Amino acid sequence: MLVLLFIVSRYNATLFQAMAEIFSIAVAWAVFMVVWNARRFINNDALLLLGSAYLFIGFTDLLHALALLQRDIFFDAPNVDLPTQLWLAGRYMEGLAMLLFALVLGRTFRPFFGLLFWAGLALFLLAAIFYWRVFPVTYVEGEGLTPFKLWSEFVVCLFLLVALAVLFRRRGLLDVRVYRLIFLAMVTSLASESTFVFHTCVDCPPNVFGHFLKIISCLFIYLALIRSGLKHPFDLLFRDLERDKEELLATKQHLNLIFDTAPVLIWQKDRNGTYLAVNRVFCQTVGVEPEQAVGKTDQDIFPPKIARKFVLDDQEVLRTGRDKIGMEEQYVGTTGRLGWVVTDKLAYRDRNGNIAGTIGFAKDVTERKQAQMREKTQQEQLTQAAKMTALGTLVAGVAHEVNNPNNFIILNTPLLEEVWADSLPVLDTHHAGHPEFRLAGMPYPPMRDNVARLFSGIHEGSKRIKRIVAELKTFARQLPLDMGSEVRLNEVVEAALTMLRKTIAEHTNLFETRLDPNLPSVRGDFQKLEQVVVNLLINACQALPDKDRRIVLETYSDLDEEAVVLRITDEGEGIAPENIERICDPFFSTRHDIGGTGLGLSITSSIIQSHKGRMTFDSAPGLGTTVTIFLKALS
């Protein structure tokens, strides 16, 4: 085609120009037909705007070619200015079309409005030329092109320059191949218009070269909007569809990311209660894999009682269509883990507006629930501890009240014993003369032998009361730790047993003590160590299920560790393995229901640590427990 046109240009410049125009007209109308008829599939309204422009650009160029071939085709007399006026009208529309294409790229509007715009603009320009005849003069015979024509070429070039700059900035909105071809079309159109600035006649080289450039520009438009549109329809006509698909895929990936990283349990069920989707937190919390949950129901995953509760809630939402918000529910996962969640259940609808299933959101509040339960338990324990503190104060007061009358007994019993001894001769003489003589309703002879023993028993009992009261007062007294004394552990044990003999007797008939008489002393606080023995013995007593179980208390020396050892073994219920590590924690107890405070072993552990000693536990459920305490022996 280019070679043919070059040959024609050498022999007939007017025919060459007309053929170049006809070629560009064919391309322009082909562009319009393809783009306009494919508008339903093209979401890029800028392409529709550009295609609509070429319908009227081609029509104007057709009038220009006809006027060029026959000067009097539209008027009675030849009009040498008409071809140039029509040429400028077409170039104005082409430059404006390129500029508007770049400006509206990425925006949306109705394609029919674009068609009306170009129809109105073309009608206005043609009316100015043919009807009103107000279009400025562009060519004067004998003088050549007018300044208006030259400046018009500069304006069209400016349109194309701005269009190039804007298109470059928005190149990401077009397919790469289409962008390159349209960019090249703009560049060659700009070069073509630049040559027309300098041409002076039809057959001069700038005019011929400009038309060749215009043909090349049309070729690039052809490749961009025709060839690319036919060979790669999905790259051009359906490029926006592909972009929408990519955006949908990105949105899906983003939603899946949110779905799986949200710190709540999320699930979707159909009307039959079958799980359609679950997120990662759901699987981690319940203890299942996604494939183990999807396609299953609550009955397949949860225990029957909990599953029934979930099913009833779902059925209520499906039946009423009302959401259930803020339900506090308990669950048990497949691993047996017990937990609590706060759940929201919502109904979702299909395209027809019918309820299709439920969507659930749940926040795991197990830690908060456990913390609330621990807080409640600790509050009860603190209350119990306060009672124990008050009881200690009460014991000290009661001990004082018991001591006063007991002192009378201790002081008066020896005096009564002397009175009895002094009275015996008189009573014996009286009995000799009166054999039937009786004391307290009993015959005198047995009473004579028993009264001394009665007074002795009263005296010993009162002294025992005094020792017990003294131990209670010492035990209840809150004193700072005193590590400056030498303490004999056997004496500590005897002092503790003084207070606990009745308690021990109530719990076991098989209590043994094995105290090493050659036990070295230890440095420490007598009262605190006594508290240790009391706490351990009380724990051992409470662990026995009946009185036929044994408790053994031992003291001995461990030469390898240079320590004095206290060991208490019971045949009680033992300690569960999961509780061994926690039994010395403050407020931890397995006997809260019978008044356990969870403070005994915690206090005991603290006292042993303050004495630089250590305490070990050896226990098995159902077999009993052995508590061993090691204290540094004095050399």
Side-chain angles (χ1 to χ4, degrees):
M1 166 89 48
L2 292 178
V3 172
L4 176 62
L5 288 176
F6 177 75
I7 295 173
V8 172
S9 68
R10 301 298 295 173
Y11 291 95
N12 191 325
T14 302
L15 179 60
F16 158 77
Q17 188 170 339
M19 290 178 65
E21 295 297 332
I22 291 172
F23 176 75
S24 62
I25 293 166
V27 172
W29 284 351
V31 166
F32 168 76
M33 285 187 290
V34 171
V35 172
W36 185 257
N37 285 286
R39 66 185 183 280
R40 294 182 179 179
F41 310 104
I42 300 177
N43 291 327
N44 192 330
D45 292 337
L47 285 175
L48 294 175
L49 182 68
L50 185 62
S52 300
Y54 272 95
L55 171 64
F56 300 98
I57 293 171
F59 181 71
T60 306
D61 284 346
L62 176 61
L63 297 180
H64 163 70
L66 293 175
L68 184 65
L69 293 173
Q70 187 172 348
R71 301 297 177 95
D72 60 352
I73 192 172
F74 297 110
F75 299 102
D76 295 336
N79 188 342
V80 295
D81 189 28
L82 181 60
T84 309
Q85 290 178 324
L86 292 170
W87 168 266
L88 275 186
R91 303 292 69 73
Y92 269 120
M93 284 195 291
E94 184 178 8
L96 184 60
M98 294 287 189
L99 178 60
L100 290 180
F101 167 77
L103 291 175
V104 302
L105 194 61
R107 293 179 172 85
T108 58
F109 51 87
R110 291 183 178 275
F112 190 70
F113 291 159
L115 190 65
L116 288 178
F117 171 77
W118 293 118
L121 180 60
L123 182 62
F124 172 78
L125 292 174
L126 293 178
I129 295 173
F130 290 101
Y131 183 70
W132 297 315
R133 298 189 181 185
V134 295
F135 197 90
V137 176
T138 59
Y139 179 80
V140 178
E141 192 171 6
E143 296 181 6
L145 299 175
T146 64
F148 171 76
K149 197 275 182 183
L150 296 177
W151 283 109
S152 294
E153 298 288 359
F154 284 122
V155 171
V156 174
C157 289
L158 180 62
F159 283 174
L160 293 170
L161 281 173
V162 175
L164 281 169
V166 176
L167 181 64
F168 179 76
R169 291 182 58 186
R170 299 186 177 183
R171 61 189 180 278
L173 300 175
L174 281 174
D175 177 81
V176 175
R177 289 185 295 269
V178 175
Y179 159 72
R180 291 173 180 171
L181 291 170
I182 292 181
F183 188 85
L184 289 173
M186 289 184 179
V187 170
T188 51
S189 291
L190 178 62
S192 174
E193 293 299 323
S194 300
T195 59
F196 292 135
V197 173
F198 303 103
H199 90 286
T200 56
C201 60
V202 174
D203 55 353
C204 61
N207 185 55
V208 174
F209 185 62
H211 279 82
F212 272 110
L213 289 176
K214 188 173 183 300
I215 292 172
I216 294 174
S217 174
C218 291
L219 178 63
F220 285 133
I221 291 292
Y222 163 78
L223 292 174
L225 299 179
I226 303 300
R227 183 180 176 188
S228 296
L230 293 175
K231 291 187 64 175
H232 308 285
F234 289 102
D235 290 342
L236 179 61
L237 300 179
F238 301 106
R239 183 180 183 280
D240 290 330
L241 183 61
E242 287 294 317
R243 186 171 66 233
D244 290 344
K245 180 180 177 181
E246 293 175 0
E247 291 176 354
L248 286 174
L249 180 60
T251 301
K252 181 180 178 181
Q253 292 174 343
H254 183 64
L255 290 176
N256 286 339
L257 179 65
I258 296 174
F259 185 70
D260 272 335
T261 57
V264 295
L265 291 77
I266 306 176
W267 64 89
Q268 180 186 8
K269 301 179 190 176
D270 61 16
R271 289 190 63 87
N272 298 321
T274 303
Y275 282 93
L276 302 179
V278 293
N279 72 336
R280 180 177 55 84
V281 177
F282 180 97
C283 296
Q284 291 176 346
T285 304
V286 178
V288 296
E289 295 297 327
E291 58 271 13
Q292 295 175 320
V294 174
K296 303 295 180 60
T297 62
D298 290 316
Q299 289 87 346
D300 300 323
I301 300 175
F302 301 103
K305 183 178 179 180
I306 294 177
R308 187 163 50 252
K309 168 69 167 55
F310 292 167
V311 170
L312 291 175
D313 289 338
D314 290 342
Q315 290 176 350
E316 182 180 347
V317 172
L318 293 172
R319 185 180 65 256
T320 64
R322 292 193 297 270
D323 303 335
K324 299 195 71 173
I325 306 297
M327 296 181 295
E328 191 173 86
E329 299 178 314
Q330 197 174 29
Y331 71 89
V332 178
T334 56
T335 60
R337 177 177 180 264
L338 177 66
W340 291 85
V341 291
V342 174
T343 305
D344 299 335
K345 291 188 176 180
L346 301 81
Y348 72 90
R349 301 177 182 273
D350 57 21
R351 295 181 178 179
N352 298 323
N354 300 318
I355 296 178
T358 60
I359 297 177
F361 305 89
K363 176 70 174 178
D364 194 324
V365 294
T366 302
E367 292 186 4
R368 186 180 74 186
K369 189 72 175 180
Q370 291 175 343
Q372 291 174 348
M373 296 171 67
R374 286 196 300 268
E375 182 180 359
K376 181 180 179 181
T377 302
Q378 290 174 359
Q379 187 64 38
E380 294 173 353
Q381 293 168 346
L382 289 172
T383 302
Q384 183 66 21
K387 290 181 180 179
M388 296 298 294
T389 303
L391 182 61
T393 305
L394 181 63
V395 166
V398 170
H400 178 73
E401 294 299 324
V402 171
N403 248 348
N404 288 336
N406 191 55
N407 286 334
F408 289 116
I409 298 174
I410 292 175
L411 294 174
N412 293 333
T413 300
L415 180 60
L416 291 175
E417 288 178 327
E418 292 179 9
V419 169
W420 174 254
D422 291 343
S423 302
L424 281 177
V426 176
L427 293 174
D428 288 342
T429 302
H430 182 72
H431 178 263
H434 302 84
E436 73 282 0
F437 175 59
R438 304 171 72 87
L439 282 178
M442 296 181 64
Y444 175 70
M447 282 296 294
R448 186 183 188 281
D449 297 331
N450 289 331
V451 168
R453 286 196 295 272
L454 291 174
F455 280 131
S456 177
I458 292 172
H459 195 195
E460 289 300 321
S462 62
K463 288 192 290 184
R464 177 172 170 76
I465 291 173
K466 184 175 182 179
R467 287 197 304 272
I468 292 174
V469 169
E471 293 296 338
L472 285 173
K473 291 175 67 176
T474 302
F475 187 76
R477 188 180 303 122
Q478 298 295 326
L479 297 175
L481 182 68
D482 180 12
M483 297 294 295
S485 303
E486 290 189 14
V487 178
R488 294 189 176 276
L489 190 58
N490 286 347
E491 294 179 0
V492 172
V493 171
E494 292 292 348
L497 291 177
T498 299
M499 293 185 290
L500 295 177
R501 289 191 190 278
K502 184 175 184 303
T503 300
I504 295 171
E506 290 176 348
H507 286 83
T508 180
N509 296 326
L510 303 172
F511 178 72
E512 298 180 21
T513 57
R514 303 169 187 171
L515 306 182
D516 183 354
N518 300 318
L519 207 63
S521 299
V522 298
R523 189 169 299 282
D525 188 312
F526 188 98
Q527 179 196 357
K528 300 296 184 184
L529 292 176
E530 180 185 12
Q531 185 175 359
V532 168
V533 179
V534 169
N535 288 344
L536 295 179
L537 284 174
I538 289 176
N539 281 352
C541 289
Q542 292 177 343
L544 300 180
D546 56 64
K547 297 182 70 173
D548 295 329
R549 301 297 181 94
R550 187 185 306 274
I551 295 178
V552 178
L553 186 152
E554 304 173 80
T555 60
Y556 59 91
S557 298
D558 188 323
L559 299 179
D560 294 336
E561 295 201 21
E562 298 181 352
V564 174
V565 181
L566 169 68
R567 175 180 291 167
I568 298 176
T569 303
D570 67 71
E571 297 178 349
E573 299 172 347
I575 305 171
E578 63 269 17
N579 293 331
I580 277 287
E581 299 296 329
R582 302 179 57 199
I583 55 176
C584 290
D585 292 349
F587 301 109
F588 177 79
S589 175
T590 58
R591 293 192 292 269
H592 288 303
D593 54 338
I594 59 173
T597 63
L599 294 172
L601 285 178
S602 174
I603 294 172
T604 298
S605 176
S606 177
I607 293 173
I608 296 303
Q609 290 177 11
S610 65
H611 281 76
K612 309 299 182 185
R614 63 187 179 90
M615 179 169 59
T616 64
F617 295 86
D618 183 13
S619 181
L623 299 179
T625 302
T626 297
V627 184
T628 307
I629 293 176
F630 297 84
L631 297 171
K632 184 69 175 177
L634 292 176
S635 57

